[in-house]
Amino acid sequence: MIKTEKLEKVFRTEEVETYALNKVDMHVKKGEFVAIMGPSGCGKSTLLNIIGLLDNPTEGTYAFAGTDVTRLKEKDRTEFRKGNIGFVFQSFNLIDELSVYDNVELPLLYLKMKASERKRRVTEVLQRMKIGHRTNHFPQQLSGGQQQRVAISRAVVANPGLILADEPTGNLDSKHGLEVMNLLSELNQEGTTIIMVTHSERDAGFAHRTINLLDGQIIMENVNADHD
């Protein structure tokens, strides 16, 4: 599903070149759950941003489900993301002025979906994520764990094939973090491909495979014992 070859991302100033990614070859199969680990500044988030079409690589190629998306223009990247990729962030990234319902509905509005279908999908996903009783609340009225449930609801409401999660439990206590990881694991078991950046060994244990980055390069890959 995901295939990068010799992927590079270079940040240049007049004085210096910094390689955020250096010749990264990475393959992720449909239905896999992959964790990406490594110290701060090793290129994890840069790699996730390129896979999520939020950024373009400097060199190398990136194919998504057989389509070369390496050099798409901004407008085309935005179009391609719709319905294909869902995002879950450490900071939740909910819109404070919108209710829980309206936050989750947003991706469906971008897809120009009919109102009746939007209502069905939003109601269904909020019930499934056990947050349906908070439909009319606003993000600030929710706990961190509830906000992340809303964020996951928003990520999956359009049924994307791929979810990208950047430190999804980073702002949560261990109990709520475990709930979020169990939700992501359930989604994966139902066929959603998940790529997750994490510092947590516990969270990485939910993945089928862990990729370790250092200085913008893949230095090690491990198949997790529970999934081999």
Side-chain angles (χ1 to χ4, degrees):
M1 184 182 200
I2 300 292
K3 185 177 182 182
T4 75
E5 292 187 327
K6 295 186 168 42
L7 208 65
E8 293 186 4
K9 183 65 180 180
V10 185
F11 295 103
R12 293 186 173 95
T13 65
E14 287 179 14
E15 290 85 27
V16 71
E17 283 189 348
T18 305
Y19 276 79
L21 296 174
N22 191 356
K23 293 185 169 50
V24 171
D25 294 339
M26 177 173 146
H27 298 185
V28 177
K29 293 177 189 162
K30 192 175 189 306
E32 250 195 308
F33 188 160
V34 174
I36 300 174
M37 299 191 77
S40 296
C42 72
K44 301 186 300 293
S45 291
T46 302
L47 181 56
L48 210 65
N49 284 343
I50 290 173
I51 292 169
L53 298 171
L54 299 172
D55 200 358
N56 272 335
T58 309
E59 297 287 343
T61 61
Y62 164 34
F64 183 106
T67 301
D68 187 351
V69 293
T70 312
R71 300 283 176 257
L72 288 181
K73 294 190 170 80
E74 179 68 38
K75 180 168 171 282
D76 297 326
R77 285 208 309 259
T78 302
E79 278 303 311
F80 197 92
R81 276 198 303 270
K82 289 180 190 175
N84 283 317
I85 305 173
F87 296 89
V88 179
F89 300 97
Q90 177 177 344
S91 55
F92 317 134
N93 281 22
L94 300 174
I95 299 171
D96 290 338
E97 295 76 23
L98 295 182
S99 68
V100 164
Y101 184 96
D102 291 339
N103 265 285
V104 175
E105 185 186 34
L106 212 51
L108 305 182
L109 289 170
Y110 292 140
L111 289 169
K112 298 180 170 59
M113 199 173 279
K114 285 182 180 174
S116 57
E117 177 64 6
R118 293 200 308 269
K119 184 173 184 182
R120 184 189 70 78
R121 286 208 193 191
V122 173
T123 304
E124 199 174 87
V125 78
L126 288 174
Q127 291 298 335
R128 183 180 171 192
M129 296 294 165
K130 299 182 175 61
I131 199 77
H133 60 298
R134 299 287 195 183
T135 297
N136 296 315
H137 286 68
F138 290 87
Q140 271 113 342
Q141 297 173 296
L142 307 178
S143 69
Q146 289 171 332
Q147 287 188 58
Q148 195 61 297
R149 283 173 181 271
V150 176
I152 293 172
S153 301
R154 182 184 58 190
V156 302
V157 73
N159 294 328
L162 173 66
I163 288 181
L164 300 179
D166 195 354
E167 298 281 2
T169 67
N171 281 342
L172 302 176
D173 61 35
S174 59
K175 176 176 174 281
H176 288 116
L178 195 57
E179 286 176 3
V180 163
M181 288 312 304
N182 282 323
L183 281 174
L184 290 174
S185 188
E186 279 175 32
L187 290 166
N188 173 248
Q189 285 161 20
E190 290 164 14
T192 305
T193 307
I194 298 177
I195 301 176
M196 173 183 68
V197 161
T198 184
H199 279 106
S200 164
E201 294 281 356
R202 182 202 71 181
D203 292 359
F206 282 82
H208 303 142
R209 184 161 55 104
T210 301
I211 295 172
N212 288 87
L213 284 184
L214 183 67
D215 297 333
Q217 295 180 304
I218 293 175
I219 56 164
M220 191 167 56
E221 290 192 42
N222 292 312
V223 175
N224 294 344
D226 294 342
H227 300 286
D228 57 11

